[in-house]
Amino acid sequence: MAVLEIRLFGDPVLTQKSDPVTRFDAELARFGDDLLETLRSAYGVGLAAPQVGVLKRMFAYDIPPNEETGEHPFGVLVNPVITRWEGEQDGEEGCLSFPGIYYACKRAMEVTVDAVDVRGQPLQVEGDGLLARCMQHEIDHLDGVLFIERLSRGDRKRALKQWREREFDLEFEGIAPHLHRSDLTIKPDKTL
Ligand code: ZN
């Protein structure tokens, strides 16, 4: 398994539409494992293939275990499609491609996702709360849609300004032309 490089906002791959997966082989299974390992090493909740520069319709998710029920949803979904939406939630959301930036974002409270696994076997995931938020966020990535596009106009402007200032600060200090994850605080259960 390998930890892959996560692409940051500004990388053109993040605004492209991903292609459906048609080949289910050992290479795809390995890529699924890498995606999950990369997600865990970044302390995120979800990570879509285009975030590591691969334009395939698939994502990894890993929701923190529920202390009461012991439930711990995680896995890799390939060719996911939302087939049911219900209710609404409004809460803070962030993205591994926008490290350190969090804004309130409205999403459906519950969704059902039809997908296949890395071997091409059909599966269905029903989720509410954070899992539902995560699946909606990741499927947006597969269509080249970033969470800032789901924010109110004012918040989107503030998020972009915050991003530019941060990038500028780091360049100015000569740290790097790009942000480093270690320079920023990641909120473990809000970064998708
Ligand atoms: Zn994201």
Side-chain angles (χ1 to χ4, degrees):
M1 287 205 278
V3 173
L4 309 169
E5 188 198 344
I6 298 178
R7 308 296 182 91
L8 299 179
F9 180 63
D11 190 317
V13 78
L14 292 174
T15 50
Q16 289 178 49
K17 212 172 147 74
S18 292
D19 297 318
V21 173
T22 52
R23 231 183 123 114
F24 296 88
D25 54 11
E27 199 185 324
L28 187 79
R30 207 156 39 231
F31 177 62
D33 287 344
D34 290 348
L35 210 50
L36 193 57
E37 195 185 4
T38 304
L39 168 65
R40 286 176 169 158
S41 76
Y43 303 105
V45 171
L47 182 67
Q51 291 181 277
V52 295
V54 175
L55 289 168
K56 286 184 177 164
R57 299 191 75 84
M58 58 193 285
F59 69 84
Y61 64 102
D62 187 4
I63 308 297
N66 182 313
E67 283 172 19
E68 282 164 32
T69 64
E71 262 180 275
H72 179 199
F74 69 90
V76 175
L77 297 185
V78 180
N79 297 340
V81 177
I82 300 177
T83 52
R84 184 184 65 100
W85 289 261
E86 210 151 315
E88 191 181 81
Q89 56 176 318
D90 194 5
E92 231 184 14
E93 189 169 312
C95 177
L96 288 170
S97 295
F98 275 91
I101 291 190
Y102 299 90
Y103 280 90
C105 187
K106 278 199 176 74
R107 298 283 186 183
M109 178 52 95
E110 278 176 47
V111 293
T112 300
V113 172
D114 286 346
V116 295
D117 65 15
V118 289
R119 297 185 316 276
Q121 300 301 311
L123 75 162
Q124 190 178 65
V125 179
E126 282 182 31
D128 62 1
L130 182 57
L131 177 56
R133 176 179 291 282
C134 171
M135 294 196 289
Q136 292 168 80
H137 179 112
E138 303 315 327
I139 290 170
D140 270 355
H141 272 301
L142 306 182
D143 293 320
V145 175
L146 298 171
F147 91 109
I148 54 160
E149 291 169 54
R150 302 278 186 205
L151 305 180
S152 68
R153 189 191 288 230
D155 277 352
R156 190 179 325 141
K157 272 175 95 172
R158 278 186 281 277
L160 289 171
K161 184 162 177 281
Q162 209 183 336
W163 182 258
R164 278 193 303 268
E165 283 172 355
R166 214 166 247 178
E167 222 170 18
F168 176 77
D169 283 349
L170 293 173
E171 270 178 57
F172 189 71
E173 290 166 24
I175 294 175
H178 291 292
L179 286 171
H180 284 283
R181 217 158 297 283
S182 56
D183 297 327
L184 302 160
T185 313
I186 300 286
K187 298 186 184 177
D189 55 353
K190 296 196 163 40
T191 310
L192 303 160

